[in-house]
Amino acid sequence: MLANQPYWNPVLETADPERLRALQLKKFKKIFRWAYDQSRFHRALYDRAGIGPEDIRNREDIRHVPKVEKSMMRDIQRKDPFPYGDALCVPLEAVTAFRQTSGTTGQPVYQADTWQDWEWWAECWAFILWAQGYRPSDRVFIPFGYNIFVAFWAGHYAAEKIGCEVVPGGVLDTQARILKIQELKATAMMATPTYVLGMADTAIRKMGIDPSGLGIKKITCAGEPGASIPATKKRMQNAWNARVFDHAGATEIGAWSFECEAQPGGMHVNDAFFLVEIEDMETGEIIDEPGRRGKMIITALDRFAQPCVRFDAKDIIEWDTATCACGRTFRLIKGGVVGRADDITKVKGVLLAPSAIEEVVRSIDGLGDEYEVIVDKLGDVDRIKLKVELQSGQEDRVKAIEGQLKDRLRLKTNLGYRIEFYDYGRLPRYDVKARRFKDMRKH
Ligand SMILES: [Zn+2]
């Protein structure tokens, strides 16, 4: 492997789009037949819909294959074969890894992988890291808890696979992690956006260390959309003096997308390993053209123990028209994952995506990174409260900041907010994924 080669897999990453589409159809037929033949859960689902492996002749036929909802996976869990249930397509002896989803939207889902599946996870991540400029000369620090959540596990294996030196940050606390980065002169790091900002804050306020001088040059984010939210990306890049890249993946799916070094304002889908479809949320129709947002339906084309076939991922995405300067032919989604179908809520009859509020808060100088949004009702009327932190030394600017905040929020979200200011450090901090949006109307 030549370090100056721009692609991890030049054949797949620059393949003609028609060839990629043909490859996707071929692989879809294979994984669909596999799921139908090996899993009682999948066969029952497809038999009920009157569709079988013989019925898939072209890409349009794929659209008739029933979707799998997360709730279905929860329903079969803990049944035989324990604890995965009958979507499992291999004998239990073949399973080598257990992971579970974080459960932010309900009961966690358990996920089985074989060693072959795990190798595939690492291969997916190898595409990501190479595209973001990771090379064998990098020393990669991974400040992650190495637990039952998949998070950066595959990033760890992939970094080793492509030849980087990997430092597992494991159970060290934040200060010990920062000291280790400093001592070892680590050059790259992987973490959630919340933690990337949290580490910088700890370094500055508790340790008197400026993270921008630590020598981290690349940061790969996952778990939250922050690295695709321009204002959050900018804060992370400034704090660390590093390039920050986004990646989206999920336990039940795999590592399906990544931002490349050209940073075209969106992420590539790994079209060689995944089939991504976008579904109109009102009509259910599949959207092929750029510029229309919808819900992602995704198939992991090479994952066999517990397959992911037309999984309803609830991520909101849209195709981009642009081709990328990096030369990859993998399709682009504009602005990354722009929201979650679960998170988008109606307030005063207006659709609100929490990421829009984050973009505004973090675009304003004088405010801290943390914020909290609380939606409740007074009588029949919805109200939104936004709590923000004022950076020290900004007390004289409160009125100006409040005016700026309200104007930008109204422009971006078409809603009015009550703003509450707090001293720096008073709002809750989160270690991994943050819960900053609270809808009290549901209680
Ligand atoms: Zn690119």
Side-chain angles (χ1 to χ4, degrees), residues 114-145:
T114 61
W115 183 249
Q116 183 190 338
D117 288 332
W118 187 245
E119 288 272 304
W120 164 84
W121 258 107
E123 181 67 9
C124 293
W125 264 88
F127 280 67
I128 298 169
L129 296 179
W130 201 267
Q132 297 178 347
Y134 286 68
R135 293 294 180 271
S137 54
D138 276 307
R139 181 170 291 143
V140 184
F141 188 84
I142 308 183
F144 149 64

Side-chain angles (χ1 to χ4, degrees), residues 299-314:
T299 301
L301 297 165
D302 306 276
R303 192 180 195 183
F304 291 97
Q306 195 172 320
C308 167
V309 181
R310 297 206 85 226
F311 181 66
D312 184 351
K314 313 272 189 226

Side-chain angles (χ1 to χ4, degrees), residues 2 41 47 61 129 137 148 150 178 226 264 311 316 369 391 404 426 443:
L2 293 169
F41 163 79
D47 281 350
D61 293 335
L129 296 179
S137 54
I148 50 177
V150 76
I178 290 162
F311 181 66
I316 310 288
D369 297 324
Q391 282 175 349
Q404 204 179 21
R426 295 295 301 279
H443 299 289

